[in-house]
Amino acid sequence: MAPMSRLRQLLRRPFSASTVGARRPSSAREGDTVQEDALRDMLADDPNDEDAFRALAELVRRRAAEEPATEDPLTAPADEPAAQRAADLAVWSLAEELAGHPRGWRPLLELGRLSLADDPDGAVRRLATAADRDPRGEALATALRILREADMPTEALGLGIGHWRAREHVPEAGRQVVLAALDAGRPAEARQHLSALGRSPGTEDVLAELAEAVAAHERAAPR
């Protein structure tokens, strides 16, 4: 089986909660091991702790990049640095563990981001699941930004329309929906979402910025 096919199989594996919070065996230095255990304990309690997740991801990424290469069926192609690939796979494994937590949306965002290039449909599903797990809308806002930055505005807009609840979600979620509509070349739809956002509390800071952006796109739209 080709290396990329093996990678796609890995990306499409179902999540399992059986390893949530478990530390994987490694040859890490003792200090790293102590830090890793502490971070994993924090993430077992709250899988969406951003600081803990970033710190642990950086730790496993650095360790994977430093470890000597071993024979691996997912060996990188010649044009992809092996150390970078090993680091990404290490973070993937970490995020997959933590995504088994029923409240874990931040790990799913990382899985979505890492799988965009090889499995875009699966990535969108992971991002949608992350949005479903977060009642405040932080996951949705980040998911939309990930898709917009990947030049997938139509997918971002579809995800936003299906999940955004203006009165329940943080203002940034609505902001990302409006920007996704503009990225997709739909200024009229962006204005509709802007109007919905304006009826929500705590959105005053973003309304002026978005109103100007929408007006600029409307002026530039062909008549």
Side-chain angles (χ1 to χ4, degrees), residues 168-180:
E168 300 174 29
H169 285 166
V170 295
E172 180 62 18
R175 176 176 177 271
Q176 291 295 328
V177 173
V178 173
L179 293 176

Side-chain angles (χ1 to χ4, degrees), residues 65-208:
E66 290 174 352
E67 285 180 350
T70 57
E71 187 173 348
D72 187 343
L74 297 177
T75 300
D79 61 346
E80 185 175 0
Q84 177 64 41
R85 184 177 178 81
D88 285 345
L89 287 175
V91 175
W92 172 275
S93 296
L94 168 66
E96 188 179 42
E97 291 174 17
L98 297 171
H101 195 296
R103 292 187 293 106
W105 51 263
R106 193 172 299 282
L108 280 167
L109 294 175
E110 186 66 15
L111 292 176
R113 185 186 68 79
L114 288 172
S115 57
L116 270 174
D118 293 304
D119 183 16
D121 291 340
V124 173
R125 288 194 298 272
R126 293 178 181 99
L127 296 175
T129 302
D132 286 336
R133 291 183 178 184
D134 175 28
R136 297 189 68 248
E138 293 180 28
L140 177 61
T142 304
L144 298 183
R145 186 171 65 250
I146 289 172
L147 291 172
R148 291 180 55 236
E149 290 175 351
D151 197 23
M152 299 173 65
T154 301
E155 290 81 358
L157 183 57
L159 181 62
I161 291 173
H163 289 79
W164 181 44
R165 298 187 296 277
R167 295 188 178 276
E168 300 174 29
H169 285 166
V170 295
E172 180 62 18
R175 176 176 177 271
Q176 291 295 328
V177 173
V178 173
L179 293 176
L182 294 178
D183 290 347
R186 302 179 186 177
E189 191 169 340
R191 183 162 292 281
Q192 292 175 354
H193 297 313
L194 178 62
S195 178
L197 181 62
R199 294 192 292 270
S200 302
T203 59
E204 294 81 5
D205 291 343
V206 301
L207 290 178

Side-chain angles (χ1 to χ4, degrees), residues 10-120:
L10 175 65
L11 296 179
R12 293 189 174 96
R13 288 190 309 181
F15 307 129
S16 170
S18 61
T19 57
V20 172
R23 182 170 62 85
R24 293 182 181 272
S26 72
S27 58
R29 295 183 294 272
E30 182 176 353
D32 280 355
T33 300
V34 172
Q35 182 185 13
E36 179 178 349
D37 286 340
L39 292 169
R40 285 184 182 275
D41 286 343
M42 295 172 63
L43 289 166
D45 292 335
D46 179 7
N48 304 313
D49 186 320
E50 182 176 8
D51 291 338
F53 183 83
R54 289 186 183 279
L56 186 53
E58 178 58 30
L59 190 153
V60 300
R61 180 181 292 276
R62 185 182 70 244
R63 179 190 307 150
E66 290 174 352
E67 285 180 350
T70 57
E71 187 173 348
D72 187 343
L74 297 177
T75 300
D79 61 346
E80 185 175 0
Q84 177 64 41
R85 184 177 178 81
D88 285 345
L89 287 175
V91 175
W92 172 275
S93 296
L94 168 66
E96 188 179 42
E97 291 174 17
L98 297 171
H101 195 296
R103 292 187 293 106
W105 51 263
R106 193 172 299 282
L108 280 167
L109 294 175
E110 186 66 15
L111 292 176
R113 185 186 68 79
L114 288 172
S115 57
L116 270 174
D118 293 304
D119 183 16

